[in-house]
Structures are given as C-alpha cells and as structure tokens.
Amino acid sequence: MFFVLMCLCLQATGLHAFTASTTTKNVMVQEGSGADMKCDYSADFGSSPRVEWKFKDLKGSQSFIFFDGQITSQYQGRFTQYAGGLRVDKTTRKDTGDYTCEVSGNDGYAEIPIKLTVIVPPSVPVSRIPTSVTTGGNVLLTCFDMDGSPPSTYQWYKDDTPLPQDPSKFPAFKNMTYKLNAQNGNLEFPSVAKTDSGKYFCEASNGQGPVQRGEAVFMEVKDVNTGGIVAGVIVALLAIALLCFGLWYANKKGYLPKMSESKQKSAVYTQPRQDYGDEDDGEFKPKSSFVV
C-alpha cells in the first residue's frame, strides 16, 4: 500500500524514480555451460533507454561488453544482449568476475552489479619448498592452484599432520612460530629452527571438486657452519700475511726495481745576437755565451 502511494505521489509531483534491478545477483555455472544475467529497469528511462554492460575480471581489468548498441569485438560470438539481460554461451573460467548493467535516459541513470562465477575444480597445486635452510633465517613456502574457481584455499601439512593457522592455540605446535595464510597458500617461518625440519606438502580445495595435493618435499634445517667460516677467515689472513712477507723479502734482496733519483741538468743560456755594425769596418763586435 505504501509503495502504491509513493508511486502516485511521484506521478502527481512529476518526479521520477529511475531504478534498475536484477533477479540474478550472483550467478554460478559450470565451465562450458551458458549463463544469463538479468537487468530490469523502470519505465522512467523512456521507451528507448541506453543500456551498457561492463565487465571487470579477477585481475581488476575493465572492459565494455555491450556498448553503443552492439557487442564489442572481443566478445562477439559468445555474448548476446537482449531486452532485460545478457547471455554468455559456453562460459570459460576467464568469464568469472563482476558485471555491471548501466541504464540511462530522460536525464536519469541507474546501475546494477552482478557477480558471475564459473565453477572449475582445483588442479594439483604448484608448491615451492626448499630442501635445505639455515637456522635463524626467514623461510617462505608457497602453494598455488592455477585453475580453481572460485579461488582455492590451502592447507599445509608437516609429516602428514595438518598445520593449524594459529599454532599458539595447540599444545603440540606451541613451540612453532610459523605464519600460515590459507587464502594465498603462503607458509612463512620468520626465524626457522631445527625443530621445523620435516616433510611438507600442501592441499588446494574450493568445494567444487576433489581436494588436490601437491608434491611432498623434505626440508632440512641446518645450524650455521661457524667452523667453516672461521677456517675461511684464517686462510684469508694467512694468504695476506704470505703476500706481505714475499714483497718484503723480494725488496730486501733487490729483486724489485728501485726508484731512480732524478738528476738536475744544467741549462745553457745563449745571449741573443746583437748587431754592432759590419765586420768589415774593423770595429769590435762582442759575442758571448755563459753557462749556468
């Protein structure tokens, strides 16, 4: 009753309630099947409103699917726009993301978001587990499922025992200081200890197929080789001492060239010639030079 009164009031005052709605807020379909996304709008937009569809994938990239009255080139063939909706034929995992229906007309605008999830079971996760690490270092183990949709969550195991996300709450794990992120699959040891040695593997699951397990790898945590470091320093010092002794001995025996002392050379200066007349006139013409 209240809604009817509001509509009558809006019509009487000349105001418009531009609205858009959908009956498919969240759509989930198996990969390879079709999907329909509905977009209904009020008559306030007029008889020929402008309708556009946008898409944002899981990486955040945005693009138009339906623009200026037609399906854009990259989506032609599988996407179809019809009055009141958008259809996708033979969905793929890349179609998973957020869709937006935008309606405009008669100076009004409205939009409605729709989420499409194309269901894909998880695949065998790719894990990276080091085989040998040093005590006290920061160690990161990673696990990633490239196919699961919706995205998989992850569980890590040590020696076939599942690791809890918060080890401090379990007596058997209270001495472990790892950080486990079930959303991105990371298992981090800020300061790995010898007690962290063991066989590790991870599992990926998204509720849409069987749980998939990655390869198990034994990670050995070793103490820092202080003896080797000390031995290396001693060898380096001995090499430097031997080099210094060799240079000293060679210099003492005269095997190394000595710096030649510079000798001061005498400079000869000649007095410029001056004309005192013709030699044939019998007059004295002095000519001299001196050595400094």
Side-chain angles (χ1 to χ4, degrees):
M1 184 65 180
F2 176 76
F3 179 75
V4 174
L5 291 175
M6 285 294 298
C7 291
L8 292 175
C9 291
L10 291 173
Q11 290 179 359
T13 56
L15 298 177
H16 298 275
F18 296 96
T19 59
S21 61
T22 182
T23 56
T24 55
K25 190 73 173 177
N26 292 284
V27 181
M28 296 186 69
V29 296
Q30 295 288 339
E31 187 174 31
S33 62
D36 279 279
M37 292 170 280
K38 301 294 185 179
C39 179
D40 299 315
Y41 44 85
S42 62
D44 304 288
F45 293 101
S47 59
S48 300
R50 181 182 180 90
V51 179
E52 295 175 350
W53 284 87
K54 290 181 179 179
F55 170 58
K56 182 171 70 173
D57 62 21
L58 296 179
K59 296 181 180 179
S61 177
Q62 296 189 19
S63 58
F64 275 102
I65 295 179
F66 185 76
F67 180 77
D68 200 18
Q70 60 182 353
I71 298 293
T72 56
S73 59
Q74 66 182 110
Y75 296 102
Q76 289 179 359
R78 290 194 307 115
F79 285 76
T80 305
Q81 193 274 345
Y82 57 90
L86 181 72
R87 178 170 178 79
V88 190
D89 293 322
K90 297 181 180 180
T91 56
T92 70
R93 61 198 67 186
K94 293 182 180 180
D95 297 328
T96 296
D98 297 318
Y99 293 75
T100 303
C101 173
E102 299 179 344
V103 186
S104 59
N106 287 345
D107 297 327
Y109 173 84
E111 64 178 40
I112 190 73
I114 300 173
K115 185 174 183 64
L116 172 63
T117 302
V118 179
I119 299 173
V120 182
S123 59
V124 175
V126 177
S127 56
R128 294 182 179 179
I129 306 169
T131 57
S132 180
V133 296
T134 304
T135 55
N138 183 285
V139 179
L140 179 65
L141 283 64
T142 62
C143 181
F144 183 66
D145 163 32
M146 300 180 64
D147 298 318
S149 177
S152 294
T153 56
Y154 304 91
Q155 173 64 58
W156 276 96
Y157 292 79
K158 177 191 176 187
D159 298 329
D160 298 323
T161 301
L163 296 176
Q165 289 197 36
D166 188 354
S168 63
K169 295 181 179 180
F170 298 85
F173 300 93
K174 64 180 180 179
N175 293 327
M176 301 184 72
T177 58
Y178 63 80
K179 298 178 181 179
L180 194 157
N181 190 324
Q183 303 305 314
N184 62 17
N186 288 349
L187 176 62
E188 181 180 6
F189 296 88
S191 181
V192 70
K194 292 199 70 175
T195 54
D196 295 324
S197 294
K199 181 182 66 175
Y200 289 85
F201 64 86
C202 69
E203 289 183 343
S205 62
N206 67 352
Q208 302 300 328
V211 175
Q212 297 292 335
R213 175 176 296 186
E215 180 183 2
V217 177
F218 186 85
M219 183 179 75
E220 182 180 8
V221 183
K222 300 178 180 179
D223 288 325
V224 178
N225 188 8
T226 54
I229 296 175
V230 172
V233 172
I234 293 175
V235 170
L237 292 175
L238 288 175
I240 294 174
L242 183 62
L243 177 62
C244 293
F245 175 77
L247 293 174
W248 172 81
Y249 184 80
N251 183 63
K252 183 178 179 181
K253 293 298 184 178
Y255 298 145
L256 297 178
K258 296 183 178 180
M259 297 286 293
S260 59
E261 297 181 358
S262 60
K263 298 182 180 180
Q264 185 177 4
K265 296 182 179 180
S266 59
V268 178
Y269 298 90
T270 303
Q271 182 177 355
R273 177 178 177 180
Q274 297 181 0
D275 294 332
Y276 293 91
D278 192 1
E279 293 183 358
D280 295 338
D281 59 3
E283 294 183 1
F284 175 73
K285 298 182 177 63
K287 297 180 181 177
S288 63
S289 63
F290 58 91
V291 177
V292 179

